[in-house]
Amino acid sequence: MSDYNFAYLDEQTKRMIRRAILKGLAVPGYQVPFASREMPMPYGWGTGGVQVSAAVLTPEDTFKVIDQGSDDTTNAVSIRKFFEKTADVAVTEATEAASVIQTRHRIPEAELSEDQILVYQVPIPEPLRFLEPRETETRKMHSLEEYGLMHVKLYEDISQHGAIATSYAYPVKVADRYVMDPSPIPKFDNPKLEMAAIQLFGAGREQRIYAVPPYTPVVSLDFEDYPFEATKADHPCDLCGAEDSYLDEVILDDAGNRMFVCSDSDYCRSRREAGHVGRLGVETAA
Amino acid sequence: MTPLLQVRDVAKMYGARIGCTGVSFDLYPGEVMGIVGESGSGKSTLLNCLAGHLKPDAGQVIFDTRVDGPVDTVTMSEPARRMLGRTDWAFVHQHARDGLRMNVSAGGNIGERLMAVGARHYGDIRARAVDWLDRVEISETRVDDRPSAFSGGMQQRLQIARNLVTDPRLVFMDEPTGGLDVSVQARLLDLLRGLVRQMGLSALIVTHDLAVVRLLADRLMVMKDGHVVETGLTDQVLDDPQHAYTQLLVSSVLQV
């Protein structure tokens, strides 16, 4: 154990963050301001998510961190180490075994359950930011439910690309009230936002926390004649053969060879261990 | 007949300075009223007070809403006032850049008000955008171009299309022809006159250009230092000005 308070933040700060989380859960999709702290990592590396995780972690928790679906990228490894050191909690890479999952840009493929919490790292919490730069105005638009502008963005997509080209950070309406930025998850994950687990969103630099309680209706915005579509690369995973998972494209050489692999590394590994083999996969001894 | 807009003793102060004061008038459906005066005479302040952009310090602005009849827009709730601003009212800014989204295509600009009141069918929105581009004499092929690629006159016409797409009943115009050269001005005025008559719009036009009100306005209100100094039928005021300031204004126009 170290000299840090449990999970790095002091108790008063955690109380403050928990109040914001509770308010966020009470008003689904509403961005609750909170006094974001300076964390020992740069903004943009998940300072918001880390603070939310610190506030919800208990010593009995099992913690998992993913970055773009993967457990073994720099961001995920360093945040996992951070809580191993400051909170001394158990960590895991198995989605089912974790009680708190901090994620950047993905929702795990495995279905989450009621006893799990999913914490998102959010770079820009305001879905209307790039359409209306004034914060005073966007707050007013949220409070008066003036969301026509969000459709202007989708209109522009269709008029320029012939389809809604927004493929990540796809705006959703939560509980038929607030329009919310689901953080830059691919729109493939949008249907999964209606889930059994608690979803908490933390934006450190922007000092906002918002939440989606379990089983809350989350609707992706669209047009009647251009309905929302959850898209992914039209391939099976080259390692595990999965056809239902979100894929990363990996360029193999300069001769145009490429492979598609599951972005969720835990999902891919567990499938391979169960004996599934993809086009470029090798048989693993179970 | 109920007036569309009844203005009663509207006043707006900027600290100790007068923005406008003691303004009262009625505007009937289908009527176009011009507000003229020199720079700083309070005409834009008045227009902004009436359109709900500024809160007047005193007075009433009673608008005849479709559902509830005459309502004071100064004291009505903000959501209701903003709703009026998207449906029954239109506001044409002097600088098209203030009234347009410059990084959104022409079609998106026109469609915004439709989407703001709940239109969710892309095909319909686009069809109406194209229809309105045609009505303001902009080629359909420009529907996906951004306003930044448009000339000043086209931007102004686009702004008008964007405002009129929801069939408003009252249009506020703040120097709609300012900054345009005379031939473009003439074309815009022609277009505006056609639209106003054809749609039966009521309009309040703020301008310092007497030619604009001569062409468009039925009635005229002359302002100086925040006060209304003369009102009357346009031809009457311009051909037989009574107040010294109006006489000065009329005689200042260069005759060619």
Side-chain angles (χ1 to χ4, degrees), chain B residues 1 5 22 28 30 39 47 67 80 99 115 152 167 182 189 195-196 198 204 213 218 225 227:
Chain B
M1 194 186 205
L5 190 72
Y28 286 88
S39 299
L47 195 74
V67 186
M115 292 181 249
D167 293 323
V182 283
L189 287 173
L195 287 173
V196 163
Q198 185 191 331
L204 279 171
V213 285
D218 304 313
D225 298 331
H227 297 270

Side-chain angles (χ1 to χ4, degrees), chain B residues 64-75:
Chain B
D64 185 20
T65 57
R66 285 183 219 229
V67 186
D68 301 325
V71 180
D72 185 0
T73 62
V74 178
T75 52

Side-chain angles (χ1 to χ4, degrees), chain A residues 27-30 128 137-151 172-180 221, chain B residues 78-80 82-83 86 115-118 120:
Chain A
V27 192
Y30 172 71
L128 302 159
E137 189 63 19
T138 54
R139 274 195 221 179
K140 192 161 275 178
M141 291 159 86
H142 280 294
S143 62
L144 300 179
E145 242 182 305
E146 284 180 8
Y147 291 131
L149 200 52
M150 206 71 246
H151 274 86
V172 294
K173 197 166 202 176
V174 181
D176 203 28
R177 176 60 182 85
Y178 283 98
V179 164
M180 183 186 93
L221 301 180
Chain B
E78 192 180 10
R82 283 172 74 112
M83 193 62 181
R86 291 198 300 268
M115 292 181 249
V117 296
R120 292 291 179 267

